[in-house]
Amino acid sequence: GAGVSQSPRYKVTKRGQDVALRCDPISGHVSLYWYRQALGQGPEFLTYFNYEAQQDKSGLPNDRFSAERPEGSISTLTIQRTEQRDSAMYRCASSPGYNEQFFGPGTRLTVL
Amino acid sequence: GENVEQHPSTLSVQEGDSAVIKCTYSDSASNYFPWYKQELGKRPQLIIDIRSNVGEKKDQRIAVTLNKTAKHFSLHITETQPEDSAVYFCAAREGGGSEKLVFGKGMKLTVNP
């Protein structure tokens, strides 16, 4: 079946612009997670949802970052007023329940 | 919060040798420990996981062991092949009902033919 998908795969933006990153989880998966992965590092937790409810946003770096999953399926991670330090790979993962998390291909964000 | 340490950061072995990757965690309430393999330019792929109610799990050439008392867990790969070359990440799920995974920094494994 189809895995987790993310769009766009690459995003180049200028400092100060807002960006929206989209995640399509595996169909039927209850939980959806957002991570950020710097080059040569492990994924760093940002936030997660069970259905449409945001359960934990403790990993969001500051209030420029927000996420939503309004219908319990697709999720959007929004970064407002982007800064160069926001440049990274942003990965989404989904899970059918409490354990296994399956990652998407990521969105490579570059802020100029 | 949870802290996961992983070592070594790089490992080079000859084809057919075994490889061991070790991780430690800090949260005694952590109860789920997955391992991911990430090839260059690809997404992390779940290869094996272990829950805190078992001490060892095997799947063909890979096995994971967990020592809850010492708070460490290890990945063992036997009969390594060149296609095992990748970065391997360990992770631990925070306790207290959280679904947050905390990852180690990864280990780059190179299997030389």
Side-chain angles (χ1 to χ4, degrees):
Chain A
V4 178
S5 61
Q6 293 184 243
S7 61
R9 294 292 308 277
Y10 302 90
K11 177 68 177 179
V12 180
T13 190
K14 293 183 178 179
R15 187 179 55 182
Q17 297 294 306
D18 298 350
V19 295
L21 312 181
R22 172 181 165 133
C23 173
D24 278 274
I26 294 171
S27 178
H29 276 197
V30 167
S31 303
L32 185 148
Y33 312 81
W34 283 100
Y35 292 87
R36 181 168 65 177
Q37 186 173 21
L39 201 61
Q41 300 292 317
E44 175 192 13
F45 172 83
L46 296 176
T47 185
Y48 85 93
F49 296 82
N50 283 340
Y51 300 100
E52 72 281 1
Q54 190 170 22
Q55 299 293 331
D56 184 346
K57 55 181 181 179
S58 63
L60 296 177
N62 51 61
D63 60 7
R64 295 186 296 105
F65 288 72
S66 63
E68 64 174 8
R69 193 187 185 199
E71 298 180 358
S73 179
I74 295 166
S75 177
T76 302
L77 177 70
T78 301
I79 309 173
Q80 296 180 311
R81 306 181 302 281
T82 52
E83 300 178 4
Q84 287 188 328
R85 60 176 172 159
D86 299 334
S87 297
M89 177 72 83
Y90 289 83
R91 293 197 187 273
C92 170
S94 71
S95 172
Y98 192 48
N99 291 319
E100 299 90 348
Q101 296 184 21
F102 300 94
F103 280 86
T107 294
R108 169 74 66 187
L109 175 66
T110 302
V111 182
L112 301 176
Chain B
E2 177 68 278
N3 182 52
V4 176
E5 299 286 339
Q6 184 171 353
H7 55 95
S9 58
T10 61
L11 180 62
S12 182
V13 300
Q14 289 300 121
E15 183 176 0
D17 288 350
S18 294
V20 181
I21 310 166
K22 299 179 181 180
C23 289
T24 60
Y25 62 98
S26 61
D27 184 356
S28 57
S30 290
N31 57 14
Y32 173 67
F33 307 90
W35 286 87
Y36 285 82
K37 174 184 180 183
Q38 187 172 24
E39 297 176 79
L40 190 62
K42 301 288 183 65
R43 71 187 76 186
Q45 295 271 8
L46 179 67
I47 56 172
I48 195 168
D49 56 16
I50 190 167
R51 291 160 181 77
S52 58
N53 58 346
V54 298
E56 184 176 4
K57 182 177 178 180
K58 289 183 179 180
D59 184 2
Q60 299 182 350
R61 294 187 298 109
I62 60 174
V64 58
T65 58
L66 171 65
N67 183 325
K68 289 178 60 181
T69 303
K71 289 189 284 188
H72 68 69
F73 56 114
S74 301
L75 178 72
H76 304 251
I77 307 173
T78 59
E79 301 172 27
T80 53
Q81 301 167 3
E83 51 265 39
D84 294 329
S85 297
V87 178
Y88 291 81
F89 293 100
C90 62
R93 183 173 60 202
E94 281 194 343
S98 172
E99 295 182 36
K100 172 182 176 180
L101 288 181
V102 178
F103 284 80
K105 292 187 176 182
M107 189 210 77
K108 182 177 180 181
L109 175 65
T110 302
V111 180
N112 301 299

